[in-house]
Amino acid sequence: VRRWAVGLAGGARRRRTRCRRCQACKRTECGECHFCKDMKKFGGPGRMKQSCLLRQCTAPVLPHTAVCFACGEAGKEDTVDSEEEKFSLSLMECTICNEIIHPSCLKMGKAEGIINDEIPNCWECPKCHKEGKTSKVRVPPPPPGVLQSADQRSHHREKLERFKRMCLLERRPESSSSSSSSSESDSESDSDDSLRGEQAGGGSSPSSSSPAPPPPVAYGNSSGGRAERERSRSDPPAVPSPPRPVQMERHLVRPPPACPEPSCLPLDSGSAHIMTRDVWLRVFTHLSQRELCVCMRVCRTWSRWCCDKRLWTQIDLSRQRSITPPMLSGIIRRQPVSLNLGYTNISKKQLMWLINRLQGLLELNVSGCAWPAVSALCQAVCPCLKLLDLSRVEDLKDSHLRDLLAPPPDTRTAHGETRVGRFQNVTELRLAGLDLTDASSRLLVRYVPHLSRLDLSQCGNISDQTVLTLSSPVSPLRESLTHINLAGCAKVTEQCVSLLRRCSSLQTVDLRCCSLLSSEMGQLLSFPPHSSSSSSTLLKNS
């Protein structure tokens, strides 16, 4: 990306982008130049991050985010009709001090500046011209006998050379950056190569008989080679960075496509592949998520197809060292049904941003995360959530569970939510390894009425009182519970078995590793369906 400083006061860095109107911008890659051979789409390492020599824009423009250094506003030339007023309200960039400013904000005459006719919105500002600032790079004067028109063109070429040299010096620290996706390199080459046309064609001065600079097609031959030789003589050689390992998160940052996805795969010959998009998606369903990330690097079409949410119904980011913004953007784009964020360092702000944008999420795993981050669920509404895993969340107490399960303080309903609780539709709740007491069972009865699977294993403070509350006649869980896990609950006694027989739908109870139970009772109990009075069956440990 061609970046260069804006202003002398350390303003934001700007970049020139493609005009997308010249002949060079409308071409496709040749596949033969050294820039094309470096691209990953042509089998290269993808380190240079440069576009094809035949696609070097001849008139790079300022980005739409550029603003005036003085007033902080964008270009306003569209609001007036006369040419002089349009110039005064348009943004102009100085090739010497790099300031982007409205000519009207300088309070100086237009005649004091030198306008570059070959690059849009480019000039030598009156301030630098008045102070006598010039670039160190100079083009030799034209030989005697050259017409005045050629002298004028040489003057423009000299300004172009200064502009090119400044861009090369600013680009050098960033030349070693690399990316993982070939589609990223392709998109970057569309918007990053704003000044490469000047770089390849600025080294040779036009002859007196030619009224215009050479066409862009000649950039891949002698002009491009001359520019490269000048660049190698004047600048220190850049040390390429070592190739980065394949990182899954780099493939989760793809922005959504701006145009509709094609229904077939275009080939280089111009024809369409015999396999349609639907057939390709069936093939992709047999690949793992890591293999899909590799396929996304093949081409832009595959990059779009591999992001189909049908291929990403489950996303597992458990035990990742960090959750980065690109990963969050990738999750939102894929809209998974099941999301595992267990044992990650996700923050409260990140989790809240995710939950508010995943309205179709059915399963959420935040086990092992810190409570300050999980507390983001206290401000979220998840009407579709069916499974919530809070196992071993750090510092989660009874009071925190109340804030999590209780409805919002507002008495009105929100998004179809009633006063029964924020997670009223959850059918499976995992609370293993938490510092909960018997008071939490009353929260479950009140706020999670449709619970069918409950995991309270390794909760040392849970006793028979919890089982009594869950199986009481007024408890809705008495009819809905099918599986309950009490393994490792040291305070549970044999009395809980008779209490659990009240639950008519109960099928399995895990009472392993309960120290107060006998060896025969401390096993995995299986209750016959629709038989609350029959005796339970012991399933021995394997």
Side-chain angles (χ1 to χ4, degrees):
V1 179
R2 301 306 175 107
R3 298 182 180 179
W4 34 298
V6 177
L8 299 177
R13 295 170 67 88
R14 300 293 179 187
R15 70 183 69 183
R16 288 256 174 174
T17 59
R18 283 185 175 274
C19 67
R20 303 186 183 275
R21 293 188 297 269
C22 64
Q23 295 181 1
C25 289
K26 297 179 180 179
R27 289 193 184 97
T28 58
E29 289 84 358
C30 66
E32 299 295 335
C33 65
H34 60 285
F35 287 150
C36 286
K37 292 180 179 179
D38 176 74
M39 298 180 185
K40 291 185 177 181
K41 64 191 301 182
F42 294 111
R47 298 177 185 174
M48 293 184 181
K49 318 313 296 179
Q50 308 292 324
S51 69
C52 176
L53 288 174
L54 299 183
R55 300 193 70 245
Q56 296 171 351
C57 181
T58 59
V61 298
L62 288 173
H64 66 278
T65 56
V67 294
C68 178
F69 179 74
C71 64
E73 297 184 2
K76 298 175 287 187
E77 62 272 14
D78 297 335
T79 60
V80 294
D81 296 330
S82 64
E83 294 297 329
E84 184 175 356
E85 292 179 348
K86 283 187 176 182
F87 173 79
S88 300
L89 296 179
S90 62
L91 291 176
M92 299 296 293
E93 180 179 25
C94 180
T95 59
I96 300 176
C97 66
N98 304 330
E99 281 188 358
I100 298 179
I101 198 168
H102 294 124
S104 59
C105 296
L106 277 179
K107 308 298 182 183
M108 303 179 73
K110 172 183 176 182
E112 300 179 16
I114 301 177
I115 303 175
N116 192 327
D117 297 330
E118 299 185 21
I119 302 178
N121 303 95
C122 184
W123 70 342
E124 291 182 7
C125 67
K127 183 169 57 175
C128 293
H129 186 67
K130 183 178 181 180
E131 296 175 358
K133 295 182 180 179
T134 56
S135 176
K136 295 182 180 180
V137 180
R138 290 287 183 181
V139 178
V146 178
L147 298 179
Q148 182 66 24
S149 59
D151 188 21
Q152 182 69 19
R153 288 194 300 272
S154 178
H155 179 68
H156 290 317
R157 184 64 61 184
E158 177 185 354
K159 294 185 292 183
L160 183 63
E161 182 66 15
R162 290 200 302 267
F163 188 84
K164 178 204 68 172
R165 184 64 55 189
M166 179 267 298
C167 294
L168 290 177
L169 295 177
E170 288 294 331
R171 177 187 171 274
R172 180 63 59 187
E174 302 171 14
S175 61
S176 61
S177 61
S178 62
S179 174
S180 313
S181 171
S182 65
S183 58
E184 288 180 359
S185 65
D186 183 70
S187 61
E188 287 178 1
S189 64
D190 286 344
S191 60
D192 301 351
D193 318 324
S194 54
L195 305 175
R196 208 168 295 119
E198 292 82 358
Q199 176 182 340
S204 59
S205 59
S207 62
S208 59
S209 59
S210 59
V217 180
Y219 289 163
N221 302 323
S222 61
S223 301
R226 188 179 300 110
E228 292 296 326
R229 289 194 296 271
E230 291 179 3
R231 180 173 169 184
S232 61
R233 288 197 302 265
S234 58
D235 296 330
V239 180
S241 60
R244 292 186 178 181
V246 177
Q247 298 179 4
M248 180 177 179
E249 63 220 47
R250 296 300 301 271
H251 304 285
L252 298 180
V253 68
R254 306 293 307 156
C259 57
E261 296 184 358
S263 60
C264 59
L265 181 64
L267 301 178
D268 294 338
S269 60
S271 60
H273 197 279
I274 188 173
M275 292 174 59
T276 62
R277 175 175 178 268
D278 294 335
V279 179
W280 278 113
L281 289 180
R282 292 184 182 181
V283 176
F284 291 151
T285 56
H286 298 280
L287 303 180
S288 64
Q289 294 184 357
R290 184 170 295 275
E291 291 170 341
L292 286 175
C293 293
V294 177
C295 292
M296 291 176 64
R297 302 170 59 186
V298 174
C299 63
R300 182 174 298 179
T301 304
W302 273 26
S303 179
R304 294 178 182 176
W305 291 356
C306 289
C307 276
D308 193 291
K309 62 181 181 180
R310 289 173 290 181
L311 305 175
W312 299 86
T313 56
Q314 297 180 356
I315 294 182
D316 186 359
L317 297 178
S318 59
R319 302 186 184 277
Q320 291 287 332
R321 291 185 177 180
S322 61
I323 302 296
T324 61
M327 297 168 71
L328 299 178
S329 302
I331 294 173
I332 296 303
R333 183 184 179 187
R334 287 157 175 80
Q335 290 292 311
V337 176
S338 175
L339 179 61
N340 189 349
L341 299 173
Y343 297 93
T344 59
N345 64 341
I346 189 170
S347 64
K348 178 180 179 179
K349 185 176 180 180
Q350 289 176 328
L351 183 58
M352 186 181 303
W353 188 86
L354 271 179
I355 296 302
N356 291 333
R357 289 164 175 79
L358 296 176
Q359 296 299 323
L361 189 65
L362 299 181
E363 300 178 0
L364 177 62
N365 187 339
V366 290
S367 60
C369 298
W371 166 250
V374 179
S375 63
L377 298 177
C378 298
Q379 304 175 15
V381 177
C382 306
C384 299
L385 199 64
K386 297 296 183 181
L387 185 151
L388 179 60
D389 193 342
L390 301 173
S391 301
R392 296 172 179 82
V393 172
E394 299 176 5
D395 302 326
L396 196 153
K397 310 291 184 181
D398 289 335
S399 58
H400 299 151
L401 188 63
R402 176 183 295 274
D403 297 337
L404 188 63
L405 299 180
D410 193 352
T411 56
R412 296 172 298 178
T413 59
H415 300 278
E417 181 184 41
T418 64
R419 292 295 298 172
V420 294
R422 185 177 284 104
F423 299 101
Q424 58 169 328
N425 295 322
V426 169
T427 58
E428 183 173 356
L429 185 61
R430 301 174 185 174
L431 304 174
L434 299 180
D435 188 15
L436 300 178
T437 63
D438 294 329
S440 60
S441 60
R442 295 192 291 270
L443 301 175
L444 301 178
V445 171
R446 182 177 181 182
Y447 297 126
V448 198
H450 304 292
L451 201 61
S452 61
R453 292 176 175 265
L454 178 61
D455 186 359
L456 294 174
S457 59
Q458 306 302 325
C459 294
N461 295 325
I462 295 297
S463 65
D464 294 338
Q465 181 63 37
T466 295
V467 181
L468 178 62
T469 304
L470 296 177
S471 60
S472 63
V474 296
S475 171
L477 304 183
R478 184 173 182 174
E479 303 295 333
S480 62
L481 270 180
T482 59
H483 299 79
I484 184 170
N485 190 346
L486 298 174
C489 296
K491 296 184 179 181
V492 173
T493 65
E494 296 181 1
Q495 184 182 359
C496 70
V497 179
S498 59
L499 296 175
L500 289 172
R501 289 198 178 102
R502 301 176 181 177
C503 301
S504 58
S505 302
L506 195 61
Q507 299 177 13
T508 304
V509 179
D510 193 346
L511 295 173
R512 291 173 291 185
C513 301
C514 295
S515 57
L516 298 181
L517 295 178
S518 61
S519 58
E520 294 182 356
M521 197 64 66
Q523 301 292 331
L524 188 64
L525 306 183
S526 176
F527 291 84
H530 308 291
S531 177
S532 60
S533 60
S534 60
S535 59
S536 60
T537 304
L538 300 182
L539 300 181
K540 299 297 183 181
N541 291 328
S542 56

